C-alpha cells in the first residue's frame, strides 16, 4: 500500500510540475502509438470492408487468419521485425532498427488484425442491410466500400480504440525493436519495465498511472471528437 500511495503522489507531482523527462517520454509514446494507429486503420478498415463485400474463394480463410492473428504474440512480432530490420536482414540497409519507425512497424503488425476483425463484424452486419439497395443502384465496389465505411464510422471507432489500447500498452515488441534508448526510443511502457527492474517501484507506479491517464484522456478525446453521445448510439 505504501508503494501505491507513493506512486500516486509521485505521479501527481510529475504531472503537476510538467517534469521534462516525463513530458518527453509521454509525447514519444503518443507519437509512436497514434502514428501506428493511423497506418493500421488505413490498412485494416478497407481490408475489413473488402472482405465483407467481395466474395472470393479464400474469403473464409482470410477471415479465419485475421481472427487467429488477433492473439499474435507481440514478442514474436518484435523478433521477426528485428530480424528483418537488422543489418543482415532484407531491410537492414534502411537503418530503421532501434528507431521509433521500427516501433511503429511492430505496433502496426500487432494491431492490424485486431482492428480488421472487429471492423469486419460491424461492416458485415451493415452490408446485410445495404446489400439489396447498393446492388440495385449498380454502384462500383469502391463506392460500396466507401459507403459502408462512412455509415459504420461510429462502430469503427470502437475498433480503432481497441487497437489504440493494445498499442499503447505494448512493451515486448517495442523493447526488442526499439532498444529502450534514453531520449530516443524510450516510451512509458519500456520506462516502467526499466524502473521495475531497478527496484524503483514508486516511480514505476507513477509512470503507470500517467500511462493510464493518457490512455483514458485519448479515448475521451476521440469519443468527444466523434460526437458519439450527441449524434447516436453504438
Amino acid at each position: 500500500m505504501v508503494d501505491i500511495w507513493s506512486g500516486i503522489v509521485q505521479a501527481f507531482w510529475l504531472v503537476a510540475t510538467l517534469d521534462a523527462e516525463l513530458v518527453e517520454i509521454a509525447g514519444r509514446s503518443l507519437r509512436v502509438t497514434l502514428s501506428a494507429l493511423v497506418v493500421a486503420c488505413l490498412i485494416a478498415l478497407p481490408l475489413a470492408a473488402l472482405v465483407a463485400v467481395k466474395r472470393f474463394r479464400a474469403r473464409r480463410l482470410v477471415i479465419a487468419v485475421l481472427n487467429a492473428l488477433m492473439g499474435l504474440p507481440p514478442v514474436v512480432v518484435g523478433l521477426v521485425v528485428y530480424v528483418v530490420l537488422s543489418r543482415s536482414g532484407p531491410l537492414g540497409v534502411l537503418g530503421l532498427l532501434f528507431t521509433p519507425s521500427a516501433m511503429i512497424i511492430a505496433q502496426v503488425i500487432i494491431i492490424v488484425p485486431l482492428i480488421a476483425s472487429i471492423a469486419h463484424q460491424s461492416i458485415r452486419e451493415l452490408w446485410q442491410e445495404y446489400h439489396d439497395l447498393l446492388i440495385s443502384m449498380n454502384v462500383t465496389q469502391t463506392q460500396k466500400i466507401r459507403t459502408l465505411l462512412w455509415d459504420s464510422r461510429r462502430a469503427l471507432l470502437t475498433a480503432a480504440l481497441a487497437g489504440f489500447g493494445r498499442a499503447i500498452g505494448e512493451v515486448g515488441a517495442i523493447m526488442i525493436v526499439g532498444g529502450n534508448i534514453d531520449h530516443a526510443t524510450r516510451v512509458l511502457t519500456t520506462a516502467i519495465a526499466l524502473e521495475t527492474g531497478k527496484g524503483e517501484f514508486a516511480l514505476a507506479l507513477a509512470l503507470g498511472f500517467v500511462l493510464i491517464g493518457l490512455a483514458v484522456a485519448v479515448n475521451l478525446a476521440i469519443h468527444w471528437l466523434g460526437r458519439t453521445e450527441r449524434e447516436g448510439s453504438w
Side-chain angles (χ1 to χ4, degrees):
M1 283 299 294
V2 174
D3 282 336
I4 293 176
W5 283 112
S6 178
I8 294 174
V9 171
Q10 197 163 353
F12 178 79
W13 179 252
L14 289 172
V15 173
T17 58
L18 292 178
D19 181 77
E21 186 175 3
L22 174 65
V23 171
E24 178 192 352
I25 293 174
R28 189 178 300 114
S29 295
L30 269 182
R31 286 196 303 273
V32 169
T33 302
L34 291 178
S35 298
L37 181 63
V38 170
V39 175
C41 285
L42 291 176
I43 298 171
L45 298 183
L47 175 61
L50 180 63
V51 173
V53 171
K54 190 173 179 60
R55 295 295 182 268
F56 52 93
R57 185 171 297 179
R59 178 173 172 272
R60 291 180 182 272
L61 178 61
V62 171
I63 295 173
V65 170
L66 285 175
N67 291 333
L69 291 179
M70 288 176 65
L72 194 63
V75 175
V76 176
V77 173
L79 178 59
V80 172
V81 174
Y82 181 93
V83 171
V84 172
L85 297 182
S86 64
R87 288 187 177 182
S88 58
L91 299 181
V93 68
L94 299 177
L96 295 178
L97 195 61
F98 301 135
T99 66
S101 297
M103 299 159 67
I104 292 172
I105 292 171
Q107 287 190 348
V108 167
I109 295 173
I110 291 170
I111 65 176
V112 160
L114 176 65
I115 296 175
S117 295
I118 298 175
H120 173 257
Q121 298 296 326
S122 301
I123 295 174
R124 185 176 62 181
E125 293 176 2
L126 189 63
W127 172 239
Q128 291 174 352
E129 298 179 16
Y130 283 23
H131 179 271
D132 293 341
L133 175 62
L134 293 178
I135 293 296
S136 65
M137 294 175 65
N138 197 29
V139 297
T140 65
Q141 201 81 277
T142 302
Q143 289 173 322
K144 293 175 187 176
I145 291 174
R146 287 178 179 174
T147 300
L148 291 171
L149 288 175
W150 177 253
D151 285 1
S152 61
R153 60 191 181 278
R154 292 191 182 88
L156 298 182
L157 185 61
T158 301
L161 289 176
F164 174 82
R166 183 168 188 191
I168 199 169
E170 174 50 39
V171 59
I174 59 175
M175 181 81 81
I176 294 174
V177 302
N180 196 22
I181 303 170
D182 195 17
H183 302 300
T185 59
R186 183 165 297 165
V187 292
L188 284 170
T189 50
T190 57
I192 291 170
L194 176 66
E195 297 302 330
T196 301
K198 290 163 57 178
E200 298 288 345
F201 299 114
L203 181 55
L205 282 169
L207 292 170
F209 292 134
V210 171
L211 177 61
I212 293 172
L214 197 62
V216 171
V218 170
N219 275 264
L220 291 176
I222 293 176
H223 276 297
W224 180 78
L225 291 174
R227 301 177 182 272
T228 55
E229 296 300 327
R230 297 184 211 175
E231 297 183 9
S233 60
W234 295 103

